[in-house]
Amino acid sequence: MKRFAALLERLALTPARLGKIKLLKDYFRDTPDPDRGIGLAAITRDLDLKTVQPAMLRELAVERVDAELFRLSYDYVGDLAETLALIWGAAGPAVDVGLAEVVDQLNGAGRGGAPAVMRGLLDGLDTSERYALVKLATGGLRVGVSARLAKQALAGFGGVDVTEIEELWHGLEPPYTEVFGWLEGRTAKPAQAALAPFRPVMLATPLDQDNLAAMDPGEFLAEWKWDGIRVQATAEGGVRRLYSRTGDDISGAFPDVIAHMGFEGSLDGELLVRGADGQAAPFSELQQRLNRKTVSKAMMEKRPAFIRAYDLLHEEDQNLRPLPFADRRARLERFIAGLNGDRFDLSPLVEVPSWEALAAARTDPPHPVIEGLMLKRRDSIYVPGRPKGPWFKWKRDPFLIDAVLMYAQRGHGKRSSFYSDYTFGVWQGANLVPVGKAYFGFTDEELKQIDKFVRDHTVERFGPVRSVRAEADFGLVLEVAFEGLNWSSRHKSGVAMRFPRIHRLRWDKPPGEADVLTSLEAMLPPK
Amino acid sequence: MTPETLLHPRREGLYCPPGDFYIDPVRPVARALITHGHADHARAGHGAVMATQRTLDIMALRYGPDFAGATQVAGAAAINGVNVSFHPAGHVLGSAQIRVEHKGLSIVVTGDYKRGVDATAEAYEPVGGDVFITEATFGLPVFRHPAPQAEIAKLLRSLEQFPERAHLVGVYALGKAQRVIRLIRDAGHDQPMYIHGALKTLCDYYQEQGINLGPLASATIDRSDKAQFAGRIVLAPPSAFAAKWAQRFPDPLICFASGWMQVRARARQRGVELPLVISDHCDWGELTETITELAPGEVWVTHGREEALVHWCDLQGITARPLNLVGYEDEAE
Ligand SMILES: [Zn+2]
Ligand SMILES: [Zn+2]
């Protein structure tokens, strides 16, 4: 438990991805089975754990501490788990109890037994272990590590490709002893035993337009790149699953799709929802249905989900991935014809008479929920990862606006001494209204220049944030690139940007000539 | 005579009418008794100052030799018939509690104090009196400072895990810096350590006073080679992290040694990646145990979380009240 607690403390405050991976790899190396696997499952949220209610914890606390002192402490700390962990004085001798043992005890506590189990554990643990325990027991473990990142760390630990981990993952159970054995070179790679497993996804690389001339249009098939999320829908032997492109099982949030997966096979496609007009709706609509465990009937009726199919990986018991894309595509067309058209349709191909014609089509897509084109070699076999050559994505050019820097915030980690997170705004009459935030897109040299500008022209400071001079004739204009614009009730300006980033610094441009809010509003989809 | 006639708060600070002096006044006064050298307790510009030799030295280092009209080294003395004596407080080098006694009534002013072992400060000496005046910086039962050695072990472990990153440790210049350096050395770390220019004077002073901190290199060399700081410990006042100063280090990992680091939100707020819970103040256990041990007739609470400590005293049947003194800021600890 000590190692797990120490890991959580560090993870929660380590901003950099590589730093988190390093901490996780060291944890896997230094922690014995079964604790390390249980720790991993806690982070990937694959751990089955009976949770306890905050009210019970409060009762436990006031058995030990005067209620008024507890109240004052909770007021000050602001987090129940942390307050309890700190305030609970050691009552007994320190006990070195493993994480797996802790989980067993929590799960083994019968009805009414939970308070006694919690009390016993709290008594034997140190402060940081108590914090980890309470966070685990209340289901509130948030350490800024995605399941994907944890799997990457695991892959790094074993020196294997992350797709190998993702492929296996759905047949595995905590504490993953056989996986650690394999990654440490002691045992053979576990076999994939589960029905309807995840098959690691093939991804495209961005197209370098300069290379087009050397490419033969006749060797490629083109299709639209839809702005939803990439998914894999697999049904085998009565098991139906919907996976995200990183292998997370998202079936629970999309029963409307699952219900119509009466096939034997594995489809690759884009998950989208339909708007009131029956057409694919913007990403912001789909977003309402993401990151949920369950979904209401009303939500499913308002935003019915469907899959626009790109590829067929398996049919019956046949693995199609070694076939050329053109052959898989032909099989896919036949396969889709047999499914419910409201839930499954085919991503249409785009004619490629010449690159010029395709480039023209790209600038004028037939539907607003298209974010560009995909080019796939007719002869490409389906391989996991992001191989260079067979598939390209050719995104529509981003939107660009000129905005004025309004606020800057200090970054984290490597950038903690730089003002590196920027809030920018556009004009609404004589005032600037913030429309977005960006923290990348500039070079290290540009970062230094902006940092200096922020320090030299600070108007006010609020903690880590500074407001900077932003007037019609003085300030810094940022050319901001973004992928799309949506209505937003959370932002004062009423708009929210997708993937905003700094495209160029316009030191030359007077802020008074930056864009106005009405020109942004013109880019919005109809309400 | 009531205790309030011997000592009571005024705008300038805690005042003793029969002795006509203040203790740790926050504004210039004619005569001041100073518990220790932290800036919120020891200010420049008083007429006459009485403090321990080390506190006087530290004030001279910070404010220049003319920081007061006249100075007097603390000892048992009578000021206008009021007996005063100074006793080690264990807070920082030279820190003292001041005991004031007049007509059979005694009051102990602790200033800031701690009971934990610290090789860089004179050990706390329990001193009782009719009234015990205590701070309550960490006066909530959530504050239980862990063993400082365990915190230093976290730092050294992180150096092993991230040997390519400079570990920037935020420390305040008086007390915390020297204690942390000494703890690191006592843990067996023998690599070069670097200090920010703002820490140098006081580190030198501690060394002159016989507190061995080992060799310390300056982290303020211009055009210094970035790579030399990889995997090294660099100590600096926390304010330096927001400044351009910090940009010279390779992928800095920000650490902060402070009792406040016990609360995660505080660490997050300040962008601290590795919090080190090391404090020069009493934690809740030390505060309550000290009051229990000394069993004073009355407890007055000066600054910090007075409400909780007063409430605790009530529960124990000890008369207690907050003093509501303004101007003490132990955010910087
Ligand atoms: Zn102090
Ligand atoms: Zn103080």
Side-chain angles (χ1 to χ4, degrees), chain A residues 179-218:
Chain A
V179 177
F180 284 107
W182 162 53
L183 293 175
E184 288 175 335
R186 291 183 284 106
T187 53
K189 182 175 175 178
Q192 173 53 265
L195 282 170
F198 173 67
R199 297 179 172 90
V201 170
M202 179 162 175
L203 301 165
T205 54
L207 177 74
D208 181 346
Q209 293 186 43
D210 297 343
N211 295 342
L212 271 183
M215 290 159 57
D216 176 0

Side-chain angles (χ1 to χ4, degrees), chain A residues 387-444:
Chain A
K388 222 175 148 53
W391 287 10
F392 296 101
K393 54 183 171 190
W394 194 10
K395 283 204 175 184
R396 200 175 53 189
D397 287 333
F399 297 101
L400 294 176
I401 56 153
D402 286 329
V404 185
L405 176 65
M406 298 176 69
Y407 305 98
Q409 183 169 356
R410 275 205 284 137
H412 284 285
K414 209 175 187 163
R415 286 170 158 192
S416 53
S417 58
F418 289 98
Y419 285 87
S420 63
D421 296 10
Y422 309 116
T423 300
F424 46 82
V426 294
W427 297 102
Q428 185 180 33
N431 298 317
L432 282 168
V433 37
V435 290
K437 262 184 157 186
Y439 51 91
F440 66 99
F442 36 80
T443 64
D444 287 354

Side-chain angles (χ1 to χ4, degrees), chain A residues 69 72-73 76, chain B residues 136 138-144 283-284 287 305 308:
Chain A
L69 290 176
L72 289 167
S73 298
Y76 183 83
Chain B
F138 294 113
L140 278 175
V142 284
F143 290 110
R144 294 173 197 273
D283 67 4
W284 176 257
L287 288 171
R305 266 119 290 277

Side-chain angles (χ1 to χ4, degrees), chain B residues 79-156:
Chain B
I79 303 173
N80 300 324
V82 176
N83 296 318
V84 299
S85 55
F86 286 63
H87 310 267
H91 176 54
V92 297
L93 193 65
S95 68
Q97 314 167 71
I98 299 174
R99 187 172 188 274
V100 178
E101 192 257 339
H102 187 55
K103 297 186 177 163
L105 183 79
S106 60
I107 301 183
V108 177
V109 182
T110 53
D112 291 335
Y113 67 114
K114 76 164 176 295
R115 315 261 339 229
V117 177
D118 178 356
T120 64
E122 304 87 345
Y124 170 89
E125 176 191 314
V127 182
D130 298 308
V131 177
F132 184 68
I133 303 187
T134 180
E135 51 135 338
T137 305
F138 294 113
L140 278 175
V142 284
F143 290 110
R144 294 173 197 273
H145 304 324
Q149 291 79 3
E151 300 301 290
I152 296 298
K154 281 186 199 167
L155 172 63
L156 298 181

Side-chain angles (χ1 to χ4, degrees), chain B residues 36-41 91-92 111-113 280-281 303 330 332:
Chain B
H36 68 286
H38 277 148
D40 51 337
H41 295 257
H91 176 54
V92 297
D112 291 335
Y113 67 114
D280 342 295
H281 292 261
H303 59 294
D330 284 301

